[in-house]
């Protein structure tokens, strides 16, 4: 009996990782983030650097349309800094007295200006692929929800949607230069899966298939299907940080992921701060109700 | 039931009103001097918890609807505005969003209690059926509420579920067009779902009142499943049960708060943070967790499933069979008072059925697990076995065990220990 | 309370009964008439119906390419099939099909396959129009939701879908323009 339970559990786990080895979805490695846990807060300095990366690199293709310039004050910028930052962008306004639409400098109340007028314009400029808006990307790419048992422990530790940031980090650092290195990496994974018995019979019969990166695409370890339309966007020293932090590829990826996590869940700090207060209050109330009930029920015979 | 004499209200205003409209007498009889079995355990608090869920959902829902825009171009944005700009909007939305899951958790435990302690048996059949009606209304409300944020899962969930009706012969397609108000899930669909999502909770509220009235006719069942024999077996609802229920309520709010503040998206789906895109299907469409067991039953009916063969023989296609199986699974639950042939209520005194009862619960959990997995490989086989067991349990085991089982001796009354104990 | 339902002045009961029934029946008919506008208001409105047909210019679609046009809120796949695809579609033995239909029944011109790109299982959109998308085991389309495979004629070959992909009403207005709906 006991043995069969173990066998079943083992089979279940193999099923889970076996599907992973099959290729499509590769779970990114977990990173340490400042905003996980019950008292987590965003690393403001990192998020500010992330804003710089967004502005200098990502914003040529990706929008951030749900975030307003005024929201940047949450990251520690002053109102004047935000005003100056917004004024670098132009938004369409109008119609004016003549009935014409016109452009004016953005103000803090405006949302981040998107690089393209609409999705079709974005597709046309990017070889048919649509660069997604990044406002909610960390929430939308988080793994492990939608499947209740998966990552249960992680969620109970207050990790929330941090897996979405793990994905952003992994994606930005997960490019392979060419098909040769890509296939070497894929083969290594395959061999490992084969050794540990994670391949299905069908997969073993078919054997390892060489990956050929599609025309105009790039190989990324973590992108589903591996063919990504985005050219490797960052590299070491791709930006020069104003605060003097060394801009390694990993550092840039961390900073942008932090910034985007904030953009996805700007309420996170307030939420966690309120959370422990509410929970403490409720624990106190629970104690009171238990005491009141005990006293009342003392005289009731069982 | 055995309620005390009419109360004498001290407050003259209360007395004046009560003579003309006896609400205070009614409340006194039903919620103060109402005797309930004194051996109720905390499983009996889940009804009160469910009522609180309903009230919280209605209150937060009304406030959220003041900020929400039911239009395909604005729905997603208006929800994000609630999350980012409206004062405490994130809090209200996360309470409401997780509240749906909480409501189902509580109601499913409430149903489990009814199953285990035989609360559905005479004279509580109508009480039980009203409960199934509430569950169905909740499912409809939750489904339509999930569509409102107009994310990818909203849209595709709505598409998949409304398409179920196309399985009906002849009237299927016109009904689906009528549901959509167009040729696909679109703005008219979103609008009417919003309207109904606002309406149905009040309908649920009405049925809940009937459910409570029916419960007060026969009184609460209890873990021993025998009727109270007199005042020594009962306590007054107020203050005894209310004190107990308050503990359960606070503990439950604590549980709920944990999710709202520390794992607000745990029971949601990441794809719903991508705006609905009618021309892009997500890789894997899954309903909310509380629908997963039914979803597994729906998908279990394929041509190689033996339960389907008799249906195929009379010309029902697999899709319709799945829909019938799914709705049938709920209708059978409503018929449980007549499917269970045992006179003994509580599983405490049913040595055989007790284990099958727990196995049935495990079976539903297995179905839920399968419903969340892609319909391929051994998940299909597992969900078919579990679906078979679901129907076998209700249609065969439940009546048969009732006939053959020798229940343990029942205690003479709630206060006394079992007579036959040595 | 006095019973007022009985005739007080000895009026003939038969006529009274008839009138009561007539009032009830006429009222019920009126109620039914009123119910219909309520129900029908939920059916597609005039502006929705106005978009019920669409014209597409096919001259730019090269052999082996597919385009997707939106029709009644649903995607319509238009594929300019290659000779091999046409041959593969015509060579299929009807006994192998879940929903038997010849390729000729599904197209007006062999090179143009036009169909509603909505999986007949539960309404997802099958993949296979773009290069690099999975085309399923039969070289046509593959539905990612529950794994239905369609062939180069859009017929269901494997998986849970019960029917072939639907063919909308359409007509070629001239050589390269088709009107759908």
């Amino acid at each position: 009996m006991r043995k069969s339970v173990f066998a079943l559990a083992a089979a279940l786990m193999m099923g889970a990782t076996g599907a992973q080895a099959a290729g499509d979805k590769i779970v990114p490695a977990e990173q340490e983030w400042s905003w996980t846990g019950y008292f987590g807060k965003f690393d403001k300095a990192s998020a500010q650097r992330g804003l710089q990366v967004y502005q200098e690199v990502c914003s040529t293709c990706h929008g951030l349309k749900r975030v307003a310039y005024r929201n940047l004050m949450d990251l520690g910028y002053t109102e004047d800094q935000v005003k100056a930052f917004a004024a670098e962008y132009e938004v369409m306004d109008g119609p004016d007295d003549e009935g014409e639409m016109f452009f004016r400098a953005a103000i803090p109340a405006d949302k981040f200006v998107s690089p393209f007028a609409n999705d079709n314009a974005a597709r046309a400029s990017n070889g048919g692929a649509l660069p997604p808006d990044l406002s909610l990307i960390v929430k939308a790419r988080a793994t492990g929800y939608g499947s209740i048992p998966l990552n249960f422990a992680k969620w109970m530790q207050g990790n929330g949607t941090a897996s979405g940031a793990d994905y952003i980090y992994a994606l930005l650092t997960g490019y392979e230069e060419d098909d040769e290195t890509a296939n070497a990496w894929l083969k290594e994974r395959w061999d490992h899966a084969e050794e540990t018995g994670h391949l299905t019979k069908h997969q073993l019969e078919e054997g390892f298939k060489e990956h050929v990166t599609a025309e105009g695409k790039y190989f990324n370890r973590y992108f589903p299907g591996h063919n990504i339309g985005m050219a490797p966007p960052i590299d070491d020293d791709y930006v020069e940080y104003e605060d003097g932090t060394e801009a390694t590829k990993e550092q840039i990826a961390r900073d942008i992921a932090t910034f985007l996590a904030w953009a996805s869940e700007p309420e996170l700090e307030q939420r966690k701060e309120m959370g422990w207060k509410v929970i403490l209050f409720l624990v106190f109330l629970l104690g009171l109700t238990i005491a009141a009930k005990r006293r009342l029920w003392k005289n009731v015979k069982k | 039931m055995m309620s005390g004499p009419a109360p004498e209200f001290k407050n003259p205003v209360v007395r004046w009103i009560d003579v003309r409209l006896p609400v205070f007498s009614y409340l006194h009889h039903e919620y103060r001097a109402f005797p309930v079995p004194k051996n109720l355990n905390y499983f009996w608090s889940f009804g009160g918890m469910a009522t609180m869920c309903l009230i919280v959902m209605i209150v937060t829902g009304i406030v959220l609807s003041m900020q929400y825009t039911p239009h395909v171009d604005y729905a997603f944005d208006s929800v994000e505005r609630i999350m980012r700009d409206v004062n405490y909007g994130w809090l209200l939305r996360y309470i409401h969003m997780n509240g749906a899951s909480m409501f189902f958790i509580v109601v499913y435990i409430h149903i489990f209690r009814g199953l285990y302690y035989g609360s559905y048996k005479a004279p509580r059949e109508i009480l039980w059926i009203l409960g199934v009606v509430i569950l169905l209304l909740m499912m409809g409300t939750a489904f339509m509420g999930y569509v409102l944020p107009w994310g990818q899962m909203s849209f595709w969930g709505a598409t998949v579920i409304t398409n179920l009706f196309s399985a009906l012969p002849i009237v299927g397609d016109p009904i689906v067009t009528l549901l959509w108000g167009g040729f696909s899930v679109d703005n008219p669909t979103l609008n009417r779902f919003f309207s109904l999502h606002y309406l149905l909770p009040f309908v649920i509220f009405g049925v809940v009142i009937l459910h409570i009235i029916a419960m007060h006719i026969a009184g609460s069942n209890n873990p021993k499943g025998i009727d109270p024999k007199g005042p020594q077996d009962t306590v007054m609802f107020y203050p005894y049960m209310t004190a107990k229920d308050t503990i359960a309520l606070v503990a439950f709010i604590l549980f709920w708060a944990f999710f709202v503040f520390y794992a607000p998206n745990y029971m949601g789906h990441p794809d719903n943070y991508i705006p609905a895109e009618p021309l892009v299907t997500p890789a894997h469409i899954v309903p909310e967790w509380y629908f997963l067991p039914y979803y597994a039953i729906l998908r279990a009916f394929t041509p190689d499933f033996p339960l389907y063969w008799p249906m195929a023989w009379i010309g029902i296609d697999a899709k319709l069979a799945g829909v019938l199986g799914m709705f049938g699974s709920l209708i059978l639950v409503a018929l449980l008072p007549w499917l269970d042939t045992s006179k003994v209520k509580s599983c405490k005194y049913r040595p055989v059925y007790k284990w099958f009862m727990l196995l049935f619960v495990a079976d539903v959990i297995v179905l839920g697990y399968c419903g969340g997995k892609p319909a391929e490989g051994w998940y299909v086989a597992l969900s078919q076995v579990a679906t078979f067991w679901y129907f076998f349990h209700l249609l065969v085991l439940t009546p048969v065990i009732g006939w053959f089982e020798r229940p343990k001796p029942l205690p003479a009354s709630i206060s006394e220990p079992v007579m036959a104990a040595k | 309370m006095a019973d007022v339902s009985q005739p007080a002045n000895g009026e003939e009961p038969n006529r009274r009964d008839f009138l009561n029934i007539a009032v009830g029946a006429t009222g019920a008919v009126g109620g039914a008439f009123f119910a219909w506008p309520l129900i029908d208001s939920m059916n597609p409105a005039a502006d929705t119906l106005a978009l019920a047909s669409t014209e597409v210019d096919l001259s730019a679609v090269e052999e082996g390419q597919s385009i997707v046009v939106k029709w009644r809120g649903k995607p319509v796949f238009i594929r300019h099939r290659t000779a091999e695809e046409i041959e593969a579609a015509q060579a299929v033995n009807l006994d192998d099909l879940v929903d038997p239909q010849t390729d000729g029944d599904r197209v007006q011109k062999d090179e143009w396959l036009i169909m509603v790109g909505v999986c007949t299982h539960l309404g997802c959109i099958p993949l296979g129009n773009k290069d690099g998308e999975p085309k399923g085991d039969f070289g046509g389309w593959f539905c990612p939701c529950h794994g239905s495979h369609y062939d180069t004629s859009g017929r269901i070959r494997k998986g849970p879908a019960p029917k072939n992909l639907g063919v909308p009403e359409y007509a070629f207005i001239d050589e390269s323009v088709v009107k759908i709906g």
Side-chain angles (χ1 to χ4, degrees), chain B residues 335-404:
Chain B
L335 295 179
L336 200 58
W338 296 277
L339 290 171
D340 188 348
T341 50
S342 173
K343 293 277 176 293
V344 176
K345 287 195 183 99
S346 175
C347 275
K348 259 185 152 171
Y349 306 106
R350 301 188 61 186
V352 180
Y353 188 68
K354 173 182 175 178
W355 295 108
F356 282 101
M357 177 66 242
L358 294 173
L359 186 61
F360 179 67
V361 174
D363 183 61
V364 173
I365 292 170
V366 169
L367 278 171
Y369 176 76
C370 292
K373 293 288 170 191
E376 56 194 36
W378 64 283
Y379 294 124
V380 179
L382 184 62
S383 62
Q384 289 178 339
V385 171
T387 301
F388 171 78
W389 188 261
Y390 185 99
F391 288 102
F392 182 70
H393 173 90
L394 288 175
L395 285 171
V396 180
L397 285 178
T398 304
V400 169
I401 292 174
W403 285 322
F404 292 108

Side-chain angles (χ1 to χ4, degrees), chain A residues 88-238:
Chain A
E88 291 174 33
Y89 297 86
E90 282 200 322
V91 288
M92 191 191 266
D93 204 342
D96 62 13
D97 294 345
E98 263 74 59
E100 303 291 331
M101 303 302 280
F102 61 92
F103 281 95
R104 61 163 172 78
I107 57 172
D110 285 314
K111 300 278 171 75
F112 270 69
V113 176
S114 295
F116 300 102
N118 52 55
D119 284 358
N120 289 354
R123 279 200 186 89
S125 310
N126 287 283
L130 176 70
D133 187 272
L134 298 180
S135 315
L136 282 166
I137 204 76
V138 167
K139 267 178 165 177
R141 293 293 182 274
T143 50
Y145 61 113
S147 166
I148 303 287
L150 202 66
N151 289 353
F152 176 78
K154 288 279 148 227
W155 279 89
M156 294 307 110
Q157 289 159 21
N159 274 25
T161 53
S163 56
D166 293 340
Y167 174 78
I168 305 290
Y169 179 87
L171 188 89
L172 291 176
T173 54
Y175 282 87
E176 292 288 346
E177 274 175 31
D178 48 38
D179 277 2
E180 204 177 311
T181 58
N183 279 310
W185 180 75
L186 285 171
K187 189 73 174 60
E188 200 180 303
R189 281 181 65 80
W190 174 275
D191 290 343
H192 180 73
E194 193 174 3
E195 260 169 44
T196 45
H198 283 164
L199 294 181
T200 64
K201 223 169 111 193
H202 181 72
Q203 285 173 322
L204 285 172
E205 277 165 14
E206 289 215 320
F208 178 75
K209 274 193 251 166
E210 293 258 312
H211 177 89
V212 182
T213 302
E215 184 75 25
K217 303 272 180 188
Y218 303 87
F219 183 93
N220 192 293
R221 292 179 177 185
Y222 299 96
F223 192 73
H226 301 305
N227 286 319
I228 190 168
M230 175 168 71
I234 54 167
D235 213 332
D236 288 342
D237 300 318
Y238 208 80

Side-chain angles (χ1 to χ4, degrees), chain B residues 156 159-160 163-164 174 177-184 186 188 192 278-285 295 298-299 317 319 375, chain C residues 39-45 48-49 52 68 70-75 118 120-126 144-146 160 162-163:
Chain B
W156 289 100
T159 299
V160 168
N163 259 311
L164 293 179
T177 305
L178 182 73
L179 283 175
W180 288 340
F183 302 106
S184 62
D186 208 335
R192 64 193 55 182
L279 298 184
V280 181
T281 322
H284 181 201
I285 298 178
Y295 196 57
L298 171 78
R299 297 191 305 185
D317 70 9
K319 189 168 154 186
Chain C
I39 294 168
D40 197 37
S41 75
M42 290 188 276
N43 267 320
T48 311
L49 291 170
V68 180
K70 214 172 166 187
W71 172 68
R72 295 183 177 179
K74 284 182 258 193
V118 174
T120 54
H121 181 229
L122 289 170
C124 302
I125 299 171
C145 290
H146 304 102
K163 290 203 170 67

Side-chain angles (χ1 to χ4, degrees), chain B residues 205-227:
Chain B
F205 200 88
V207 184
V208 165
I209 288 174
L210 295 179
H211 189 69
I212 293 173
I213 291 174
M215 192 264 279
H216 280 216
I217 297 298
S220 294
N221 184 29
N222 64 76
K224 291 184 176 171
I226 52 175
D227 289 334

